[in-house]
Amino acid sequence: MSEDYRFHLDRAHEFYDEGNYEAARAAAQYALESDPPADISEAQTLIALALRKLEYNDKAFKMLSEIVVKTPNPDACAEYALMSAERGICDEVCRENAEMAIEQSPDNASAYVALFWYHQSHENYVEALRHLKRGMHRGAEFSAHRAFELVRSWCQDACNREDPASALEISGEIADYFNNLDFSVLHARIAEIANEPRIAVQYYKKALGWLRPGPMRTDILEAIARLAI
């Protein structure tokens, strides 16, 4: 490996960490043109990641697909798995790449989010949420609103199947992680349907901390009174 290659690649990493993705892409390209080693997957992966940030998603996906076949590394495998899952390709190749990334780099957030999408596509919702929490704990961005809409839909489906116990398990897995009004009320209401009054009262009381006087607060107070009887 030449000194020029390492210099440009180190600069590319610095630019990427600073959020200057065009400069990162250019520096990684300079590295590839500076007497590179036999394994150039690190520079190629950085270019692909920068292209993804710059929203050249098709180019990034194509590059990553070639890297994971020829010279896989944790970052390439994780991002390829995530991009596959986001495109609805939640197959065994997606899962294997995500798990390979985690095995080699346990703090790779993208790999956990990829497994979230993989498991939710197979209706393993509790396992999916466990992976989402692991990914977010490691820095992955995922809005509480988006998570709530997904969880509410899954819980509604379970209740429609007359399986409130499964719905309660799903909402219980994530309610405390986001710790907001929506999740607290959802978990409380499902607990009430599942005939778990103690849990329902606990989360209704928690919800009161976010509510000012008004119709919703009144409804929750009435539910607490009803369940406490």
Side-chain angles (χ1 to χ4, degrees), residues 81-151:
L82 179 56
M83 291 191 77
S84 296
E86 290 173 346
R87 292 168 177 231
I89 310 171
C90 296
D91 56 12
E92 290 308 299
V93 174
C94 169
R95 180 187 61 79
E96 288 168 4
N97 275 291
E99 291 180 347
M100 183 188 306
I102 291 170
E103 183 178 348
Q104 297 180 35
S105 180
D107 287 328
N108 194 305
S110 292
Y112 291 101
V113 180
L115 287 175
F116 162 74
W117 288 117
Y118 170 83
H119 284 292
Q120 73 85 31
S121 75
H122 291 78
E123 300 184 5
N124 300 322
Y125 299 127
V126 172
E127 187 66 18
L129 291 170
R130 288 171 182 164
H131 280 96
L132 178 62
K133 291 188 293 185
R134 290 166 186 152
M136 293 185 69
H137 182 69
R138 290 162 174 81
E141 295 182 1
F142 203 99
S143 76
H145 176 73
R146 188 181 189 189
F148 176 75
E149 291 301 320
L150 288 167
V151 170

Side-chain angles (χ1 to χ4, degrees), residues 42-216:
E42 183 181 356
Q44 290 177 322
T45 299
L46 197 53
I47 290 172
L49 296 178
L51 287 171
R52 177 146 157 76
K53 291 291 188 180
L54 293 166
E55 300 185 359
Y56 293 104
N57 291 318
D58 290 341
K59 289 183 179 180
F61 188 68
K62 184 176 185 298
M63 284 193 70
L64 291 168
S65 69
E66 294 170 354
I67 295 167
V68 300
V69 170
K70 295 178 182 178
T71 49
N73 62 72
D75 288 338
C77 289
E79 208 64 29
Y80 178 69
L82 179 56
M83 291 191 77
S84 296
E86 290 173 346
R87 292 168 177 231
I89 310 171
C90 296
D91 56 12
E92 290 308 299
V93 174
C94 169
R95 180 187 61 79
E96 288 168 4
N97 275 291
E99 291 180 347
M100 183 188 306
I102 291 170
E103 183 178 348
Q104 297 180 35
S105 180
D107 287 328
N108 194 305
S110 292
Y112 291 101
V113 180
L115 287 175
F116 162 74
W117 288 117
Y118 170 83
H119 284 292
Q120 73 85 31
S121 75
H122 291 78
E123 300 184 5
N124 300 322
Y125 299 127
V126 172
E127 187 66 18
L129 291 170
R130 288 171 182 164
H131 280 96
L132 178 62
K133 291 188 293 185
R134 290 166 186 152
M136 293 185 69
H137 182 69
R138 290 162 174 81
E141 295 182 1
F142 203 99
S143 76
H145 176 73
R146 188 181 189 189
F148 176 75
E149 291 301 320
L150 288 167
V151 170
R152 182 173 63 176
S153 175
W154 302 339
C155 291
Q156 184 63 60
D157 288 344
C159 289
N160 290 343
R161 297 193 308 269
E162 298 184 356
D163 187 9
S166 292
L168 186 64
E169 185 180 11
I170 293 168
S171 62
E173 186 64 41
I174 201 72
D176 289 330
Y177 186 83
F178 284 104
N179 194 32
N180 64 22
L181 174 64
D182 288 338
F183 276 104
S184 294
V185 172
L186 177 66
H187 192 47
R189 287 176 173 164
I190 293 172
E192 190 173 357
I193 295 169
N195 196 28
E196 293 286 352
R198 182 187 61 79
I199 296 174
V201 168
Q202 177 187 351
Y203 280 84
Y204 277 138
K205 286 182 176 179
K206 195 172 184 179
L208 291 175
W210 289 287
L211 288 171
R212 296 180 178 180
M216 187 173 185

